[in-house]
Amino acid sequence: MSSAYSEFASVYDELMTEIPYDTYADLIALAAGGLEGKKILDIGCGTGILSVKLAKMGADVTGIDISSDMLTVAEQRAIALSVPITFVEQPMQQPIQLELFDVAVIAIDSLNYVIELEEVMTTFKNVYNTLKVGGVVLFDVHSTFKMDEIFMEGPFTFDNESIAYIWETEQGDEPHSVYSELAFFIKTELGLYKRFDEVHYQRTFSLQEYVSMITEVGFSVERIFADWEDEPPHEESERIFFQIRK
């Protein structure tokens, strides 16, 4: 992501209202055999929406993210809801020098911001090393179909009368990668619009490449499904979920 996190963090939650976070929390609970008392690492936690939901379900949650501005919003959310959560600022491809966890999650295509295959491998190794034996991981990524086809159908627009954006996309330098240029227009109290711009770059890999990386690190694959449904991925699936175990 770009460095304009303070502005992007302020609108992130409103842009993510269509993400079924309750469903994600239920998927994690199912994979973990319940959340009460479980130690969970929420990797790429953003503004803490999922972290708070998991904590409310009885988990002991730690969230990590690369953005201090996102974490500021997350901390404010946790305090406002009286939920004890630890937040740590760091990229996911750096060693995670924390306690051992029962569960790790990398939600809402956060892993797709790690561009190099070697760094994706490093991320999986870091997650493996911070999990207890028998610990489970749930993560999701954009499919190659979404990156190569759907994202190329832009530009996309959005307007809910308080926030508007124009989102232009183009193919990235690596296979299955996308540059996104977004111009945001935020309505002020005076009724005028303030503009700021974001540039995002994401990359994904094939299902087979993810499986190869996962198993090379030492994980076993328990379940692969797509688009929030208990169904295997097909050629036009958009979001691929992996449930893996140490």
Side-chain angles (χ1 to χ4, degrees), residues 37-96:
K38 297 288 176 65
K39 292 185 179 296
I40 297 185
L41 181 63
D42 185 3
I43 301 169
C45 65
T47 59
I49 300 172
L50 183 60
S51 295
V52 166
K53 289 186 181 295
L54 296 173
K56 283 186 170 184
M57 295 170 72
D60 178 359
V61 181
T62 298
I64 68 170
D65 200 277
I66 196 173
S67 166
S68 60
D69 292 305
M70 290 283 197
L71 291 176
T72 296
V73 176
E75 288 168 349
Q76 292 170 347
R77 168 177 275 113
I79 291 170
L81 297 172
S82 301
V83 179
I85 300 174
T86 300
F87 291 105
V88 178
E89 181 183 346
Q90 74 159 80
M92 66 181 76
Q93 57 268 56
Q94 284 187 1
I96 301 168

Side-chain angles (χ1 to χ4, degrees), residues 15 37 45 63 69 84 104 111 116 125 131 135 161 172 197 211 227-228 233-234 237 244:
L15 297 176
C45 65
D69 292 305
L111 188 61
E116 300 298 331
K125 290 176 183 176
L131 276 183
E161 298 186 354
D197 296 276
V211 169
D227 296 334
W228 308 97
H234 55 79
S237 297
I244 61 179

Side-chain angles (χ1 to χ4, degrees), residues 25-36:
D26 289 341
L27 289 170
I28 296 166
L30 180 64
L35 297 183
E36 189 68 39

Side-chain angles (χ1 to χ4, degrees), residues 180-196:
S180 295
E181 295 184 5
L182 298 101
F184 288 93
F185 303 88
I186 312 302
K187 195 172 186 178
T188 67
E189 293 179 357
L190 299 175
L192 302 174
Y193 282 84
K194 176 186 177 182
R195 173 176 173 164
F196 71 91

